[in-house]
Amino acid sequence: MMPRTVRGNGLLIVSSVAIVGLSTAAYSFFANKKPDTTLTRLGFTPIQLHHSQQLTHDVKKLTFKLDSDKKLGNYTSSAVLFRVTLPNGKTELRPYTPVSHELQHGSCEFVVKRYDSGKVSSALHDLGPGDKVEMWGPIPNFTYQPGEYTDIGMIAGGSGLTPMYQLINRVVNDRDDKTRITLVFANKTKDDVFLKDQLDQLAAQHPDKFKVHYVLANTSEDWTGESGYVDKEKIQKYMPSASAKSLIAVCGPPAMMESVCGKKPNIMKQGKLGGILKELGYTNVYKF
Ligand SMILES: Cc1cc2nc3c(=O)[nH]c(=O)nc-3n(C[C@H](O)[C@H](O)[C@H](O)COP(=O)(O)OP(=O)(O)OC[C@H]3O[C@@H](n4cnc5c(N)ncnc54)[C@H](O)[C@@H]3O)c2cc1C
């Protein structure tokens, strides 16, 4: 069954991938193979919240329950479309990127930043164990091929960390994958930085493969990292140099995207390369 009502990006996403979904389902049917994924792309699947954990003042980790023999069905860094019914009875669609490994069975995790006037992020923060959210996906996105790049530079702002986090975990946990990753993670204040312990631990465990640098717009006296915005100087300092074997991945709020790599028009389109990365001669750039 296709979703009843979808708007804006939702309509584009659902119609763009319906053919892929139907072919996948048809293949599974004819091969008489029971899919081990919870999401089917044929319709929205209600998934139950197991528990939520406050990570920072406005970020929660939401753990959802899956059948023990099933994984969610996302692939590296792909997002999933949530359909949430608000207290006023209206349904809203928003994409979220799981932070759990694509091969994880029995549960999956999302990290959601709450915005004060944010309809869906607030509703997700208000969920309690046992409540359900409808999910559809995965949304076709970046396809990661180990070995395609020797270096990946990542620039993430706020909740834009989530697709990067998935990719970092996949690369560092694959012994055969020699890709080096450098992440620049920008936030407003120290209190806004989430998953810092996990990122620092990954960097300590895999010093040859993963490095992380934090940038804060508003710093306190004890701050030893970078301050201000992600500008040309920081990109030149931390990102791999432009080459056919390096990729720069960017994900963050619209103002950051525009300044760093040029606008991303919608979830399905990359838009023109612009901003600082274009000025510095980068051509392999992916906008999440
Ligand atoms: C591919 C993709 C993956 C995503 N993955 C995640 C994820 O894993 N975790 C996550 O927390 N979010 C993620 N997002 C963002 C998410 O989809 C919502 O846009 C976000 O939760 C806000 O939705 P809302 O309904 O709460 O806010 P809305 O009701 O849509 O917006 C209300 C107000 O909130 C503010 N606001 C909304 N979004 C932002 C923003 N990004 N930056 C600054 N201010 C904003 C604005 O002031 C806006 O006017 C992702 C977005 C995309 C496109």
Side-chain angles (χ1 to χ4, degrees), residues 9 59 77-80 92-99 110-125 139 141 157-163 188 194 251-254 264 266-267 288:
N9 280 343
V59 174
S77 301
S78 61
V80 167
E92 292 283 345
L93 297 162
R94 297 283 186 280
Y96 293 92
T97 315
V99 291
F110 291 82
V111 166
V112 177
K113 186 177 177 75
R114 183 184 174 282
Y115 294 97
D116 280 344
S117 53
K119 295 187 195 98
V120 174
S121 61
S122 300
L124 293 175
H125 271 234
I139 300 167
N141 206 324
S159 59
L161 175 72
T162 53
K188 282 188 192 136
F194 60 96
C251 189
K264 181 172 159 78
N266 62 51
I267 192 171
F288 276 106

Side-chain angles (χ1 to χ4, degrees), residues 156-176:
S159 59
L161 175 72
T162 53
M164 313 295 186
Y165 191 73
Q166 272 240 343
L167 185 51
I168 295 162
N169 269 295
R170 171 163 170 176
V171 170
V172 299
N173 288 311
D174 179 353
R175 283 184 184 191
D176 298 329

